[in-house]
Amino acid sequence: MLDKLFRKKSINKILDDAAQGHGDHGGSLHKTLGVRDLTAFGIAAIIGAGIFSTIGKASADGGPAVIFLFIFTAIACSFAAFAYAEFAAMVPVSGSAYTYSYVAFGELVAWIIGWSLIMEYSIGNITVAISWSDYFTGLLSSIRIPAFGIDGIHIPDWATMDYLTAFNGHKHAEALLNAGKSMANLDDATRIANSAWNSAPKIGNFHFVADLPALGIIIFITWLVYRGMKESRNASNAMVVVKLAVILLVLSVGIFYVDTDNWSPFAPNGVSGILKGVSAVFFAYIGFDAISTTAEECRNPQKDLPRGMMWAIIICTILYVAIALVLTGIVKSDTLAVGDPLAFVFDQIDLKLMSGIIAVSAVFAMASVLLVFQMGQPRIWMSMSRDGLLPKSFSKIHPRFKTPSFSTIVVGFVVAVPSLFMNLTIVTDLCSIGTLFAFVLVCAGVLVLQNRPDVQRGKFKIPYVNAKFIVPLIFLVAIAIALTSFKAETTAFITNKTITNEPVKFITSLSDQELEMVKKEITASPVVLQGKNIDAEAYLNSLTPAQYEDFMAKSSISTSKKYESGWSLFKHKIPMWVFLIICLIITYYCMTKNLSLIPVLGLISCLYMMCELGISNWIGFGIWLIVGLIVYFAYGYRNSKLAKVTT
């Protein structure tokens, strides 16, 4: 049984299949891509939500020092890119990490990777589609044409967001309003979500809330990908040119408004503030590996794929660092926690024209990310179908367009329907954890194959540096730093020290009776309050940390609502304990097996970022994998072509 689950494909067999047209549907994909095209695809995938959105929140948390987080993430992705490039040079066919895992680990792990890649490409595209919708609706609302009496084109709120966001926003608004906050003092996101819920058309008690612009862009991108690689390449290249032109314009104009005083302090919230943006910054780099799915369409994949990946990461990192320095130089970093930081910054210095140009380019930037991701997923499914793990129709090649036509249409549905209803935060985290899992296994795959004499090597191979002494030294230095410079944080982590809930979390968890009790306690406090209507959340936020701790200690509300402790706190630390245990295991193998340093560092750094995503995301990912295993044992295990060869 175990032998069948972990049956492996040989590289020679994969290359022979590719040469013979992959069986039932015959024919290969068009070979039209070179280094420039691959680099453009990488830039198209990487420069999207990151530079136009998540860079703002990351900069607000980390200050100008967020540039170090971009550099760290780029290095981690570069380690993974080296591993991808070595595999792509060995196995220059479509399939990306799925195909590589089939060679290194066997069928079951390959299926798990293929299933998790659905999270990266399909669920990642849901994220980008929702973000694109936000920018597009914002752009429409900013259109002013006085001659035609147009003062902004406004799409109803209920048609521009998902059901879950509207519902949660409504409940959150209700809780804060009951706590004494006025509607005008609600944050914009909560107010808009509440408005969407209240104004949505109803079918009985069901509120019809759906993100219609997200649906529209997915339909258009799916049509473009269906039409062919040449069309996709041309569209991608054009959008990349627009994006790069706008970013260079932002840099060339913004640099004259930089005030170096805004760079002090360089790290206002310390190392913890910088690391707070790990998931957001990593999401900015997701997509470079989509280049590897196009291996079968490259003119010279063994040479061009490694170069395309590395050039894309290098160019994008330079741009990210430059943009972060300009943004934090024009305004104070703590003001950048907005959804459109580039446009916001130029609004602050009264350059409205630049804000408009940025808004337009953001729409193109998001569309190009959608294009690359929507192009990657069908090729994963095509590879899985060729191996018999999915039905034959998924590997059908269109006779005229030479694209995986059925898979492309299915991906369109898989992305379009959830984009109407799913929550942005949920899909972002699931996308990140699925991607990091693939990165970890690709790096591990290179380590598994490094000493196998029967493996046919490609033209590109990761430079070998023995990790035997370097990794144990890094591990010991990290422990020393944790026990000295971060002694308090390390002690709190190990002892599972109780933490106090933030004011918003505390207030919104209270029942009506408990809320009234808190208001009475606030009234009895020594601080003089203005007005009769007490805004409990605003009051608690106005207290110093010491005053807030004192208030919570004296409050009669149950301890479970005031503090997080015990199992409810420890469960969030489980991923990090898993990371530390795996680090010990890897250190042991480095010392005994002389592992290669670069893939080891890629594995460790990607696993660290994966563990930063929290236990709830791990649970969601675990449920997703269980569903995938059910599908595998129901269909793939019995229909695998490799099973028919080995029996």
Side-chain angles (χ1 to χ4, degrees), residues 155-212:
I155 300 174
D157 291 334
W158 58 265
T160 62
M161 72 175 59
D162 63 278
Y163 182 92
L164 201 58
T165 294
F167 176 75
N168 289 339
H170 171 67
K171 289 298 182 184
H172 189 64
E174 275 191 336
L176 292 177
L177 291 172
N178 289 337
K181 191 175 286 293
S182 66
M183 183 66 73
N185 287 331
L186 293 176
D187 63 274
D188 289 342
T190 301
R191 190 172 64 252
I192 292 170
N194 185 57
S195 169
W197 181 261
N198 290 328
S199 63
K202 295 181 183 178
I203 304 173
N205 291 325
F206 177 77
H207 293 242
F208 183 81
V209 182
D211 199 334
L212 299 182

Side-chain angles (χ1 to χ4, degrees), residues 33-46 77-78 81-82 84-86 88-89 240 285 287-294 298 300-317 372 460:
L33 304 177
V35 174
R36 185 178 64 182
D37 302 314
L38 293 168
T39 304
F41 275 137
I43 295 172
I46 297 171
C77 288
S78 296
F82 271 114
Y84 268 94
E86 179 163 326
V240 166
Y285 281 93
F288 78 84
D289 59 312
I291 299 172
S292 66
T293 67
T294 65
C298 296
N300 188 356
Q302 293 189 329
K303 179 180 178 182
D304 295 347
L305 275 169
R307 292 182 178 181
M309 284 185 188
M310 297 313 298
W311 274 118
I313 291 175
I314 291 169
I315 292 170
C316 292
T317 301
V372 176
F460 177 83

Side-chain angles (χ1 to χ4, degrees), residues 179-463:
K181 191 175 286 293
S182 66
M183 183 66 73
N185 287 331
L186 293 176
D187 63 274
D188 289 342
T190 301
R191 190 172 64 252
I192 292 170
N194 185 57
S195 169
W197 181 261
N198 290 328
S199 63
K202 295 181 183 178
I203 304 173
N205 291 325
F206 177 77
H207 293 242
F208 183 81
V209 182
D211 199 334
L212 299 182
L215 174 66
I217 188 63
I218 287 297
I219 291 173
F220 172 73
I221 293 294
T222 301
W223 170 80
L224 190 62
V225 172
Y226 183 89
R227 290 280 300 176
M229 176 56 75
K230 185 177 180 181
E231 289 76 6
S232 300
R233 178 195 65 188
N234 293 340
S236 172
N237 289 348
M239 287 186 277
V240 166
V241 168
V242 171
K243 283 196 291 188
L244 291 181
V246 170
I247 290 168
L248 292 175
L249 178 64
V250 167
L251 292 173
S252 58
V253 173
I255 196 170
F256 292 103
Y257 293 87
V258 169
D259 180 356
T260 54
D261 289 341
N262 288 331
W263 288 340
S264 180
F266 202 69
N269 300 314
V271 176
S272 60
I274 298 171
L275 292 177
K276 201 172 180 181
V278 163
S279 61
V281 170
F282 172 74
F283 187 75
Y285 281 93
I286 283 178
F288 78 84
D289 59 312
I291 299 172
S292 66
T293 67
T294 65
E296 200 172 313
E297 290 146 291
C298 296
R299 290 192 291 267
N300 188 356
Q302 293 189 329
K303 179 180 178 182
D304 295 347
L305 275 169
R307 292 182 178 181
M309 284 185 188
M310 297 313 298
W311 274 118
I313 291 175
I314 291 169
I315 292 170
C316 292
T317 301
I318 292 171
L319 293 175
Y320 277 143
V321 169
I323 286 289
L325 287 174
V326 167
L327 291 183
T328 55
I330 295 176
V331 299
K332 279 291 186 182
S333 59
D334 57 5
T335 65
L336 286 170
V338 294
D340 53 348
L342 269 67
F344 168 79
V345 162
F346 284 100
D347 268 341
Q348 298 303 299
I349 55 177
D350 204 29
L351 291 180
K352 304 294 184 184
L353 178 61
M354 283 293 294
S355 295
I357 293 172
I358 290 166
V360 173
S361 68
V363 170
F364 281 100
M366 298 293 183
S368 67
V369 178
L370 282 168
L371 176 64
V372 176
F373 276 32
Q374 204 72 353
M375 184 179 63
Q377 182 58 58
R379 284 153 180 79
I380 303 290
W381 282 353
M382 177 185 70
S383 297
M384 296 171 78
S385 175
R386 286 170 171 176
D387 294 327
L389 304 184
L390 288 175
K392 293 179 181 179
S393 52
F394 281 89
S395 56
K396 183 178 180 180
I397 305 296
H398 194 283
R400 177 185 170 192
F401 301 131
K402 297 296 183 183
T403 58
S405 51
F406 180 78
S407 292
T408 300
I409 293 171
V410 172
V411 169
F413 278 103
V414 167
V415 175
V417 175
S419 69
L420 290 169
F421 308 109
M422 285 191 73
N423 181 275
L424 184 62
T425 303
I426 294 172
V427 292
T428 300
D429 290 340
L430 285 176
C431 174
S432 295
I433 200 167
T435 306
L436 284 165
F437 184 63
F439 286 8
V440 166
L441 282 188
V442 169
C443 291
V446 170
L447 296 173
V448 168
L449 298 181
Q450 75 170 31
N451 294 321
R452 273 180 42 184
D454 59 322
V455 174
Q456 178 183 337
R457 301 291 171 183
K459 295 180 181 178
F460 177 83
K461 192 174 185 301
I462 296 174

